[in-house]
Amino acid sequence: MVALARSRRPLPQSADDSFAADVVGGLLATPKRLPPKYFYDAAGSELFERITDLPEYYPTRCEIRILQENAAGIAKLIPQGAALIEFGSGSNKKVRILLQAAPRLACYVPVDICQEMVEQEAAELRSDFPQLKVLPVTADITQDFVLPPEAEAAPLRVGFFPGSTIGNFEPHEAAGFLRHAGKILGPGARLIIGVDLIKPAEILNAAYNDAAGVTARFNLNLLTRINRELGGNFKLDGFEHHAFYNRERHRVEMHLASLKRQKAKVAGETIEFRAGETIHTENSYKYSIEKLTALARGAGWRPLGVWTDARNYFSIHAFELADEPPPVRAAG
Ligand code: AVJ
């Protein structure tokens, strides 16, 4: 079983190939787009950590506050001996709050696309929680990945998916992801998930257009990464960060706008830009508590609880895997 698990783990080579294929495919498409998961190389992960400290970027502070104020209630859903699996872990700041409140766990498995980040954060946690087995996994959470045997052997797995990372998916993909998470976590699983809520456009626009320009650097870093890893020749001063709330679709969109008519080479392909043409680099969907709950129900999860902050900016939801699949409604 271990041998099979190993052989299913993607090799670094194939990960590079999919980066090149996704970038070339996205830049040859109309409109041009790039998947946001590629923001998170070492530099991008660091820039994102700086974003979470910006005065305009409220989600991280709101979520930490909700976790702190409700740690006991949330941790009650994490039984003793369970394995805690964090999807897209990044910084360990949020999980520390749960770990302090939770009973003794079989292990904690942070899963992140950025190996440098996940290993460094794991090392810090090990020194602060010496009795905890920290078993980091480097993987793209949208793809299949294998849990460590200690997590498979635990009587129960609890998923932790904070940060409103779910907002990066199209709503139908979000439902697909929740289903996929249920399959990875297995029977009896629970899921604790953080979600950014719909709120006035001014607050959202400010959060993605910070005065210090860190979000702009985070967005532009994608071109730096493409230049370095895929032999691209994007000129960074030829592009500008654009971010705005799209009210109709309840999402913040980030784009890189070409300031002039220009060409760039990537992995042997020539990409042409009109003046003002954009590369759509991210959607960050905002939900209502009801919409997120309905989405999760449809993906096989039964609600256990919801916690929010005083301003209703952010919510944390707990679910458990429903053993029966939800009834399929007849067409028509
Ligand atoms: C990590 C996807 C939750 O959408 O707010 C922050 C990423 N992009 N600023 C978000 C992000 C620009 C962030 N998520």
Side-chain angles (χ1 to χ4, degrees):
M1 190 204 154
V2 172
L4 180 70
R6 288 239 172 80
S7 67
R8 270 171 56 199
R9 208 162 274 171
L11 300 164
Q13 187 58 44
S14 66
D16 291 348
D17 290 350
S18 64
F19 181 41
D22 288 351
V23 167
V24 170
L27 293 178
L28 291 174
T30 313
K32 294 179 169 59
R33 53 177 169 261
L34 290 170
K37 66 186 179 190
Y38 295 120
F39 281 137
Y40 303 93
D41 63 354
S45 294
E46 236 177 273
L47 284 166
F48 179 68
E49 288 313 310
R50 288 185 52 195
I51 288 175
T52 64
D53 280 333
L54 292 168
E56 298 94 335
Y57 194 77
Y58 62 84
T60 311
R61 277 185 301 277
C62 284
E63 189 174 32
I64 286 174
R65 185 96 191 261
I66 299 168
L67 285 169
Q68 283 168 341
E69 288 181 353
N70 303 282
I74 299 170
K76 218 184 276 167
L77 303 172
I78 309 174
Q80 182 168 348
L84 184 64
I85 321 294
E86 183 170 357
F87 296 93
S89 50
S91 146
N92 62 43
K93 201 165 168 186
K94 293 169 190 171
V95 81
R96 278 170 182 269
I97 304 168
L98 287 185
L99 290 172
Q100 262 150 16
R104 198 183 174 89
L105 297 174
C107 57
Y108 165 60
V109 181
V111 184
D112 200 271
I113 199 165
C114 182
Q115 185 170 358
E116 287 97 324
M117 187 80 184
V118 80
E119 307 232 307
Q120 198 200 307
E121 297 292 305
E124 284 178 19
L125 273 183
R126 282 191 193 108
S127 81
D128 292 345
F129 294 82
Q131 79 298 352
L132 180 69
K133 238 182 232 158
V134 183
L135 306 169
V137 170
T138 303
D140 174 350
I141 57 166
T142 65
Q143 304 294 309
D144 251 327
F145 62 88
V146 175
L147 291 176
E150 290 91 335
E152 292 288 3
L156 193 96
R157 281 146 297 282
V158 179
F160 182 43
F161 191 35
S164 203
T165 304
I166 193 160
N168 271 173
F169 298 126
E170 292 300 316
H172 75 277
E173 294 171 345
F177 175 80
L178 292 175
R179 230 172 235 301
H180 160 76
K183 288 208 186 87
I184 290 176
L185 297 171
R190 291 177 177 172
L191 183 63
I192 299 162
I193 168 168
V195 182
D196 198 14
L197 297 173
I198 292 168
K199 62 183 60 60
E202 309 82 73
I203 298 164
L204 291 166
N205 285 325
Y208 293 82
N209 289 283
D210 61 289
V214 182
T215 309
R217 285 179 52 199
F218 173 71
N219 199 3
L220 284 158
N221 177 61
L222 193 46
L223 298 182
T224 307
R225 179 178 188 182
I226 290 169
N227 284 349
R228 185 184 60 243
E229 294 184 24
L230 303 177
N233 68 350
F234 280 100
K235 290 189 197 70
L236 266 70
D237 58 6
F239 291 86
E240 195 172 69
H241 166 70
H242 279 194
F244 56 89
Y245 184 52
N246 179 334
R247 288 170 197 266
E248 289 71 40
R249 305 179 94 158
H250 306 299
R251 69 189 195 197
V252 173
E253 297 185 12
M254 291 215 311
H255 296 256
L256 289 165
S258 177
L259 293 170
K260 53 177 192 256
R261 187 188 155 96
Q262 59 181 319
K263 290 179 188 169
K265 271 200 160 181
V266 184
E269 296 280 345
T270 301
I271 314 293
E272 301 195 27
F273 291 88
R274 290 175 278 108
E277 185 177 1
T278 77
I279 308 170
H280 189 172
T281 52
E282 182 174 48
N283 285 321
S284 185
Y285 278 88
K286 308 306 170 189
Y287 284 91
S288 63
I289 286 174
E290 296 70 29
K291 186 156 180 224
L292 191 281
T293 303
L295 191 84
R297 271 189 200 280
W301 294 91
R302 186 185 306 125
L304 293 177
V306 186
W307 298 266
T308 56
D309 56 311
R311 294 178 299 188
N312 276 306
Y313 276 11
F314 203 92
S315 55
I316 294 178
H317 300 242
F319 296 98
E320 70 182 345
L321 206 52
D323 13 60
E324 308 276 320
V328 178
R329 233 178 269 165

